[in-house]
Amino acid sequence: MAVKKVKPANDTSTEEKIKNAARVVFFKKGFAATRTRDIAEEAGINLALLNYYFRSKEKLFAIIMLETIMNFFKSISVVFNMEDTTLENKIETIASGYIDLLKANPDIPLFLLSELKMQPDEFVAKMGVKEIVMKSVFLKQFQQGIKEGKITPIHPLHFIINLLGMTVFPFVASPIIKGIGDLSTKQFNDLMDERKRLIPKWIKAMLKAK
């Protein structure tokens, strides 16, 4: 009589150990240069166990990126709904937060583009971006600024487009920017840190009512 093989029950601590190791390795090497063996070694487990929990590098990378982005949007939601901070303070915090996230996770922009191309509606719904923005204290402050004549009457989506363009695009185009300026990764990151201070000023100038 054949003995039925029983698979080990999923151990959430092992899963977390693998994901934490993957974050470290993906951050150091990026997606393309990372091998599943590198992640297994970082986690202190064998490759077979990693493959049991996560079938491929692509799947593990997608999980890590989604968790990272969702955690970021949760923190942004808190900022958007602070009653005791001004619109300008919120813009400064958001711009700084985006740049710090992308410096730590430079593969995020290309991952986002890939996900948006493959499953745009599902991805946007999963992130909950619409609810974060359209029901926020930030939007109320934005609309109040227009009502009081302090902000140019524009659709709030223009703000979102400008913020994404100013923060995300430089990371998408980083090879071009590094090539033009002959910049090392550190010099590029220093340039991005300068944008934490500059982006709020640019956005404030664009929003200011004439």
Side-chain angles (χ1 to χ4, degrees):
M1 180 177 175
V3 178
K4 185 178 180 181
K5 291 184 178 179
V6 180
K7 288 184 177 180
N10 277 6
D11 181 350
T12 54
S13 64
T14 302
E15 287 187 2
E16 286 304 313
K17 182 189 292 187
I18 294 171
K19 287 196 290 185
N20 289 337
R23 288 186 188 96
V24 171
V25 179
F26 283 136
F27 170 69
K28 283 182 182 176
K29 298 187 173 184
F31 173 76
T34 294
R35 303 174 304 164
T36 50
R37 187 176 299 280
D38 298 328
I39 298 171
E41 289 175 358
E42 179 70 28
I45 62 173
N46 61 53
L47 187 58
L49 187 60
L50 185 148
N51 288 333
Y52 169 72
Y53 282 97
F54 302 97
R55 299 298 179 189
S56 67
K57 181 178 79 168
E58 288 76 12
K59 180 179 178 181
L60 182 52
F61 180 74
I63 291 170
I64 296 300
M65 288 295 101
L66 281 172
E67 287 186 358
T68 301
I69 295 167
M70 289 180 78
N71 287 335
F72 175 73
F73 279 132
K74 285 179 184 176
S75 67
I76 287 298
S77 178
V78 172
V79 174
F80 263 62
N81 287 291
M82 286 180 174
E83 298 277 359
D84 57 347
T85 60
T86 65
L87 192 65
E88 288 79 8
N89 291 149
K90 288 180 174 64
I91 292 170
E92 289 171 6
T93 303
I94 293 164
S96 179
Y98 259 121
I99 288 172
D100 284 340
L101 173 75
L102 296 171
K103 280 173 56 187
N105 302 273
D107 286 318
I108 280 181
L110 294 180
F111 171 76
L112 280 172
L113 292 174
S114 173
E115 288 296 302
L116 288 170
K117 182 178 180 181
M118 296 293 291
Q119 45 185 3
D121 295 336
E122 182 181 340
F123 185 76
V124 172
K126 192 182 294 183
M127 292 299 102
V129 180
K130 181 179 178 180
E131 290 73 20
I132 290 174
V133 176
M134 303 311 289
K135 298 179 181 180
S136 66
V137 170
F138 172 88
L139 184 61
K140 291 177 185 176
Q141 291 175 318
F142 189 93
Q143 292 169 333
Q144 184 63 30
I146 292 175
K147 186 177 179 180
E148 293 174 359
K150 297 176 181 178
I151 295 177
T152 301
I154 58 170
H155 196 291
L157 282 179
H158 283 301
F159 164 79
I160 301 299
I161 293 167
N162 285 336
L163 182 60
L164 289 175
M166 289 180 177
T167 54
V168 178
F169 180 75
F171 288 89
V172 175
S174 62
I176 297 173
I177 295 170
K178 288 177 181 177
I180 293 172
D182 194 23
L183 304 177
S184 66
T185 297
K186 182 184 182 306
Q187 289 170 323
F188 173 81
N189 285 338
D190 289 342
L191 192 70
M192 294 304 101
D193 281 334
E194 287 182 34
R195 294 179 72 81
K196 293 181 187 179
R197 175 177 53 83
L198 294 171
I199 288 172
K201 291 183 178 180
W202 293 333
I203 290 180
K204 185 177 179 180
M206 285 187 289
L207 294 179
K208 187 175 181 180
K210 303 299 182 184

